[in-house]
Amino acid sequence: DFSRDEELPEDLKELAAVVVMGGPMGVYQESIYPFLKDEYFFINKIVEKRIPYLGICLGAQLLAKSLGAEVKKNKAKEIGWSDVTLTDQGVVSDIFLGLPDALRVFQWHKDTFNLPDNSVLLASSDLCKHQAIRCGGNAYGLQFHVEATPEMITDWVKGEKPADANRIISESYDYYPELKKRAIQLYYNFNRLLL
């Protein structure tokens, strides 16, 4: 059951930041998940009020959709470990400060999004052009998962059963220490937007 248990806050003055994570639904499934319409409106207000926002996977797609961009099926499903490359704008962006120009990250998505108006592309990959974006001054969307641990990935793999499940799990233990360091740096960078 993916219904929302609590209402979204109406008084945005109490919010220091908003972080929206992933989920199994697509942003275009409003008829199945009607709360998505409220999410679009809420995120639009967050961006308008310049409250720091970090969207991961579905959270990035919700950001794009809430700002009027199309979310659609990607040309290929991305499941597993791959590299994303920062754009020139990404290299100098606050969110990727102190991180290398190419990052090995964990992917688990079938959708992608067009760039919203007034957004900046920060990272790309071979299979999915729009991997990270900035909208306005401090709203960020990451198509990839910086929060994924080997245990989480193992659970996801057991549920989905991709053909290369064993390799994905094995690589997760190999690549996770570096991902964890980079995730901590990225969270630190995002946290600086709150100051």
Side-chain angles (χ1 to χ4, degrees):
D1 179 21
F2 287 96
S3 60
R4 189 174 50 241
D5 294 332
E6 296 181 21
E7 293 299 311
L8 293 167
E10 291 184 24
D11 185 3
L12 302 183
K13 294 175 189 158
E14 299 298 316
L15 299 177
V18 173
V19 178
V20 177
M21 304 303 288
M25 68 282 295
V27 300
Y28 40 75
Q29 293 181 295
E30 297 100 335
S31 61
I32 302 169
Y33 307 104
F35 65 84
L36 289 171
K37 293 176 187 172
D38 295 334
E39 300 276 341
Y40 309 145
F41 180 71
F42 175 73
I43 293 168
N44 195 282
K45 287 194 326 189
I46 293 297
V47 175
E48 182 181 293
K49 298 288 184 187
R50 299 184 57 84
I51 297 169
Y53 175 95
L54 178 61
I56 295 178
C57 197
L58 178 66
Q61 296 163 15
L62 287 165
L63 174 63
K65 171 98 178 193
S66 72
L67 297 176
E70 180 186 14
V71 178
K72 58 192 176 186
K73 299 282 185 207
N74 193 37
K75 60 185 176 185
K77 233 182 195 183
E78 273 194 303
I79 295 180
W81 293 88
S82 67
D83 294 324
V84 298
T85 303
L86 300 184
T87 64
D88 291 343
Q89 294 280 1
V91 169
V92 297
S93 71
D94 292 336
I95 199 76
F96 291 118
L97 186 69
L99 293 170
D101 297 356
L103 304 167
R104 171 75 34 109
V105 295
F106 189 72
Q107 304 276 8
W108 195 283
H109 67 99
K110 64 180 181 284
D111 294 332
T112 188
F113 49 84
N114 290 341
L115 292 179
D117 290 342
N118 303 314
S119 66
V120 177
L121 180 64
L122 302 177
S124 292
S125 73
D126 291 339
L127 281 179
C128 183
K129 183 176 179 184
H130 301 147
Q131 286 285 352
I133 57 171
R134 186 187 77 234
C135 303
N138 52 6
Y140 293 90
L142 309 177
Q143 184 58 75
F144 49 91
H145 292 273
V146 292
E147 83 289 4
T149 65
E151 295 77 17
M152 290 168 61
I153 292 167
T154 299
D155 285 345
W156 294 350
V157 165
K158 286 180 181 174
E160 183 86 10
K161 298 179 180 64
D164 51 354
N166 290 336
R167 181 181 56 78
I168 291 171
I169 292 170
S170 174
E171 287 179 346
S172 297
Y173 286 94
D174 293 339
Y175 298 142
Y176 177 67
E178 193 61 36
L179 177 68
K180 182 178 178 182
K181 282 193 269 184
R182 291 174 177 174
I184 289 169
Q185 180 66 49
L186 191 140
Y187 299 146
Y188 173 77
N189 293 343
F190 180 71
N191 194 52
R192 290 175 65 214
L193 298 175
L194 281 60
L195 303 176

